Every structure is written in C-alpha cells, then in structure tokens.
Amino acid sequence: MRKNLFLVTALCLLISIGTGYAQPTGIKIKQTEDSFEDTKTVLMDGNKVKVDGVAQSALIKGGLSIIKRDLQISRITTELNLEQFTKTDGKKQLSVIVTITIKDDAGFYIDRGESLVLLVDGKRIGLSTAGEFNVSRNGTRSSSTNARYTIAEAQLKSILAAKTIQFRIINGGFMEKKEETRDKEGQYFEGSFSEKNTEAWQYFYDSYIKA
C-alpha cells in the first residue's frame, strides 16, 4: 500500500515537472465567480518586479523625502500580475494588473491611456488603461494603487518567448498633459523581468489560459 502511494506521488511529481505547472514560490492564484453577472476571474498575485534607478529622482524613482533634514528612501513594491476574466458570453479578456505600493512619504499616480510600455527583445509593446482602481492614499505617509491593461494572447506569447523583457510605468500625478515623452524624465518607474518573473507568467499561461 505504501509502495503504491509512493509510486503515485512520484508520478504526479514527474508530470508536474514535465509540464512546467509547478506553482512558483510566492505566487498566489485567486479564482472568483460572480453568479449575479455570470462571470469568472482568475488573478495572479505576488509577482514582484525590481524597479531600476530607485535613487535617481526625488519624488518618483527613488521616493526620496527629507524628514528632519535627513534623507529617507521610501519602500516601493511593484507587481506585474496577470488576470483572466471570462465574460457572460464565454469570451475571455486577458490583462496585466500593475500594483504599486509606496511607504514613507511618496506618491505615485498611474496615468490613463498608454502608461505601461514593454520592450520585448527590443520591440515596443504599449498597453493602455482606463485608470486606477482600488486606490488607497494616506496623506503623504503611504499609497497603493492598481491599474488594468488589456493584452492580447499573441502579445503575451511573444513576451514569454523573449530573452529580455523591460517595462516602464508612467506616472500621471506630476505631469502636464501637454508634455512630450522626452520631457517626462523621472516621472516613471522602469525595470526588467527576472527569470522568476517570466516563470510566473509562464505558469499562469500554461495553467489557466492555454489549458
């Protein structure tokens, strides 16, 4: 009996390794159904990305603040997660959910429109949002915000096949709408995907989109 149980466990482990379906450490998946609207949502959580140049700009990139004449670096957490939303008619909408949390006297407002830009092996992919949601701002002490960016499955597949993935999230709180992109230096976050970030997206795609 124990031998059979061991064989079954080992077989399941081999299958999970072979298919690449093992859930990455730190990644959570939340599935919800709305019986009133007849919709389903699968949401990834915990895919933290590293923001580069964190000390280059006083308000945005570094979240630096002067408190009692001391320089303090704000704690910034940025996540790029995936979401799949199934509508009443069965059609699926795939999105990137950007989540930014800042503590210690700094703020960030995600801009409407094309405010998430990806460089995928050097090729530009611009994604747009209708605006922020689930926003929480506590004066100048802390803030958190989210934005949803619809993405085509073909675009996601090209990202997963890429060797390098870079991103830029454009801030909407401190810019004049007449400014050109070249004049918005310091008013955005930039970073790159690590291997772990790509594996998290691949897991979500294999398990919930392609499946």
Side-chain angles (χ1 to χ4, degrees):
M1 179 68 178
R2 291 182 179 178
K3 183 178 180 180
N4 291 337
L5 181 60
F6 174 78
L7 290 174
V8 171
T9 303
L11 180 60
C12 291
L13 179 61
L14 288 173
I15 291 174
S16 65
I17 294 174
T19 56
Y21 286 0
Q23 186 165 325
T25 303
I27 299 299
K28 298 179 181 179
I29 303 297
K30 182 180 180 180
Q31 302 187 55
T32 58
E33 295 187 16
D34 187 335
S35 57
F36 290 91
E37 301 296 334
D38 192 24
T39 59
K40 298 179 181 179
T41 303
V42 183
L43 175 64
M44 171 198 295
D45 180 64
N47 190 35
K48 297 179 181 179
V49 292
K50 182 180 179 181
V51 176
D52 298 329
V54 169
Q56 293 182 20
S57 172
L59 283 175
I60 306 305
K61 283 189 177 178
L64 299 180
S65 58
I66 298 177
I67 302 177
K68 296 181 180 179
R69 297 182 180 180
D70 293 327
L71 198 61
Q72 178 173 323
I73 298 180
S74 296
R75 290 171 291 171
I76 302 171
T77 302
T78 306
E79 295 188 16
L80 268 68
N81 297 301
L82 292 177
E83 176 191 68
Q84 180 170 259
F85 178 70
T86 304
K87 302 179 181 180
T88 304
D89 58 6
K91 292 183 179 180
K92 300 180 185 297
Q93 176 181 298
L94 183 61
S95 302
V96 178
I97 305 295
V98 172
T99 300
I100 297 175
T101 303
I102 304 178
K103 296 183 179 180
D104 300 327
D105 300 274
F108 191 89
Y109 299 75
I110 298 176
D111 199 18
R112 291 184 180 181
E114 188 183 278
S115 53
L116 174 60
V117 181
L118 302 172
L119 281 183
V120 182
D121 283 343
K123 183 179 179 180
R124 186 182 189 279
I125 297 178
L127 302 178
S128 299
T129 180
E132 299 174 304
F133 68 94
N134 290 350
V135 179
S136 174
R137 294 189 174 95
N138 182 14
T140 60
R141 295 184 60 186
S142 64
S143 65
S144 63
T145 186
N146 303 269
R148 177 178 288 104
Y149 298 83
T150 303
I151 185 172
E153 183 175 349
Q155 291 175 314
L156 178 57
K157 290 173 70 174
S158 70
I159 293 170
L160 296 177
K163 294 181 179 179
T164 60
I165 305 165
Q166 298 169 277
F167 64 86
R168 171 183 286 178
I169 306 167
I170 300 174
N171 175 50
F174 300 96
M175 65 175 64
E176 296 292 336
K177 297 305 179 183
K178 296 180 181 179
E179 289 179 334
E180 297 183 34
T181 302
R182 61 183 177 177
D183 298 321
K184 298 175 182 177
E185 174 63 29
Q187 298 195 22
Y188 42 73
F189 286 149
E190 291 181 340
S192 302
F193 267 34
S194 66
E195 184 177 347
K196 182 179 178 180
N197 296 139
T198 306
E199 288 176 354
W201 277 28
Q202 185 70 62
Y203 166 78
F204 190 90
Y205 178 79
D206 290 342
S207 302
Y208 301 101
I209 300 173
K210 186 176 70 173

